[in-house]
Amino acid sequence: MTKKILILPGDGIGPEIVAEAVKLLEVLRNQFGLAVEMEQGLIGGAAWDAAGHPLPEETLELARAADAVLLGAVGGPKWESLDISVRPEKGLLGIRSALELFANLRPAILYPQLASASALKAEVVAGLDIMIVRELTGGIYFGKPRGIRTLDSGERQGYNTLVYSESEIRRIGRVAFETALKRDRRVTSVDKANVLECTELWREVMEEVARDYPQVVLNHMYVDNAAMQLVRAPKQFDVVVTGNMFGDILSDAAAMLTGSIGMLPSASLDRQGKGMYEPIHGSAPDIAGQGIANPLATILSVAMLLRYSLEEQELAQRIEDAVQQVLGQGLRTADIDSEGCRRVSTEQMGDAVVAALLEQNR
Ligand code: NAD
Ligand code: IPM
Ligand code: MN
């Protein structure tokens, strides 16, 4: 049966990188027999401009009807002065929440060809393969009450609420342990249980979940130490499970270990494994429109889409192999460039991945 993919390019470099992913999907459809149909929708600033809302109802309907969603990025200076309730980022948070995409998988893998692009010494990151499992629809991002209020003294006060219920912790815990079963069977749960009651409960529930997975070793780490360990000795981690905000921050840090934030894909999954796939980076307004953004995080997000939502393991692997192959050929976008390599544009990188894929098919 033909599967439906909703494409949401979004803002900034979003349309540029998504164009390369779509090109790849078209090749998979036309030459590799992948039965997919693609449709485009509006989200973020682009949706605000065209439809007056960062997440139009029509987009949500298309997303619900699709088997998977591929998203570029949202946001940018043009929309920063809008009220926070209608900013592009609200569109992204809104679709994650509406589709109940609570499990965000962010794999940080160092491709050996990029060892010299990492901010850390090659020996510290060689062979790096971490899976960050970030809770995506709860925590301080969604907790209430929230807002900015004026106190009796006349001073304004901003406030947000960090809140997790046991069931929310348990379900993301299960995803982490199930993920670990297919890997090195180690889970590090990251919290701030020495200070925040909410994460004290997080720790307790993770311990409960661990009892169902005797084959997996669980350890706990405070988030400040985790940030430090991530740059000191990142290979100690296998699966890292953490809340929404800590996961946001730690995954950007982990991205730099792999050479560039332009390399990190992600999958955001619901209970049934339906998902939205997106690079972890943003709309990169500083380089938007220049044709120099790295499309590989988005292309690798397509591989995750094939693996997790379409059960096309072989094609997913082919994409990942094609990416390794172009890196092996020395092709580099500006963010991962180093001496002796050939600098290419967004489009040239996309073309090279397609060429490598077709080469495999010969
Ligand atoms: P960013 O990730 O957009 O950019 C941070 C830095 O990384 C910039 O220097 C940028 O040029 C670079 N970079 C990012 N992606 C790249 C790529 N593919 N290739 C090469 N370089 C790349 O983060 P920011 O600057 O903090 O945020 C910009 C906007 O994006 C904000 O509006 C923010 O809210 C939004 N944002 C959106 C998402 C998303 O849609 N998932 C994620 C993060 C930030
Ligand atoms: C991400 C982004 C988003 C987040 C923003 C744009 C809402 O930083 O996907 O990592 O904080 O989740
Ligand atoms: Mn982020």
Side-chain angles (χ1 to χ4, degrees):
M1 219 183 69
T2 303
K3 298 284 172 84
K4 278 192 200 149
I5 304 179
L6 176 65
I7 309 284
L8 301 174
D11 310 317
I13 61 170
E16 303 168 38
I17 52 179
V18 162
E20 300 313 310
V22 167
K23 188 156 75 187
L24 184 72
L25 279 164
E26 277 166 357
V27 170
L28 291 177
R29 186 185 58 198
N30 298 338
Q31 318 214 20
F32 290 77
L34 179 70
V36 286
E37 221 168 67
M38 285 177 270
E39 197 159 8
Q40 294 240 355
L42 290 167
I43 196 165
W48 171 262
D49 290 349
H53 197 280
L55 180 60
E57 192 50 44
E58 193 192 337
T59 298
L60 211 42
E61 273 164 32
L62 288 172
R64 289 206 168 99
D67 295 289
V69 181
L70 181 71
L71 180 125
V74 299
K78 183 176 173 197
W79 304 283
E80 263 162 23
S81 55
L82 289 177
D83 186 80
I84 197 165
S85 63
V86 292
R87 260 181 235 158
E89 291 80 354
K90 264 287 190 268
L92 179 57
L93 296 171
I95 195 169
R96 287 173 179 171
S97 175
L99 300 182
E100 294 183 71
L101 307 172
F102 69 94
N104 185 209
L105 308 185
R106 299 189 157 189
I109 294 169
L110 178 77
Y111 289 103
Q113 300 85 350
L114 289 185
S116 61
S118 172
L120 299 194
K121 290 190 208 97
E123 67 264 26
V124 176
V125 289
L128 183 84
D129 181 355
I130 305 176
M131 180 64 92
I132 297 180
V133 177
R134 170 191 178 194
E135 200 292 325
L136 200 61
T137 52
I140 199 166
Y141 273 50
F142 292 90
K144 286 185 181 135
R146 61 190 298 153
I148 301 172
R149 60 193 163 205
T150 304
L151 301 174
D152 291 344
S153 64
E155 189 189 13
R156 286 183 309 153
Q157 186 183 55
Y159 57 102
N160 288 89
T161 304
L162 173 61
V163 54
Y164 271 117
S165 58
E166 290 183 86
S167 57
E168 284 176 294
I169 304 169
R170 198 165 291 121
R171 68 179 181 179
I172 194 69
R174 289 230 169 83
V175 172
F177 281 86
E178 290 292 330
T179 305
L181 281 180
K182 296 178 208 134
R183 299 172 45 101
D184 203 32
R185 303 187 169 201
R186 292 181 293 119
V187 171
T188 302
S189 171
V190 172
D191 62 38
K192 189 74 187 174
N194 49 346
V195 177
L196 304 172
E197 289 84 349
C198 180
T199 71
E200 196 184 352
L201 179 68
W202 176 282
R203 191 174 277 222
E204 266 176 41
V205 176
M206 282 299 160
E207 284 289 343
E208 283 171 27
V209 175
R211 281 183 217 131
D212 293 336
Y213 297 87
Q215 320 87 315
V216 177
V217 178
L218 169 68
N219 77 312
H220 303 279
M221 202 178 269
Y222 298 133
V223 63
D224 46 354
N225 185 27
M228 189 270 278
Q229 296 298 338
L230 208 49
V231 290
R232 188 189 75 89
K235 282 188 277 182
Q236 70 185 278
F237 297 107
D238 177 27
V239 174
V240 172
V241 63
T242 190
N244 207 337
M245 185 156 76
F246 296 163
D248 178 44
I249 298 167
L250 294 179
S251 56
D252 264 36
M256 257 344 272
L257 308 176
T258 72
S260 165
I261 195 163
M263 293 301 299
L264 237 77
S266 84
S268 308
L269 307 173
D270 74 1
R271 267 178 202 283
Q272 279 81 42
K274 170 164 170 172
M276 182 162 85
Y277 300 82
E278 48 172 318
I280 77 150
H281 61 70
S283 58
D286 54 335
I287 58 167
Q290 298 177 31
I292 60 169
N294 186 345
L296 293 180
T298 316
I299 285 172
L300 291 167
S301 298
V302 171
M304 290 189 91
L305 184 157
L306 293 169
R307 181 166 286 128
Y308 290 94
S309 284
L310 303 192
E311 281 163 50
E312 293 280 356
Q313 324 294 343
E314 195 201 321
L315 288 181
Q317 189 62 50
R318 278 173 181 259
I319 293 180
E320 286 157 0
D321 291 349
V323 166
Q324 291 233 33
Q325 214 172 312
V326 300
L327 293 174
Q329 291 159 6
L331 303 191
R332 301 283 187 274
T333 43
D335 56 313
I336 49 175
D337 203 6
S338 60
E339 231 182 271
C341 292
R342 186 154 74 81
R343 176 81 69 98
V344 295
S345 67
T346 307
E347 196 183 344
Q348 288 168 327
M349 185 57 102
D351 288 341
V353 174
V354 166
L357 197 71
L358 292 173
E359 188 72 19
Q360 293 170 5
N361 211 24
R362 284 237 203 104

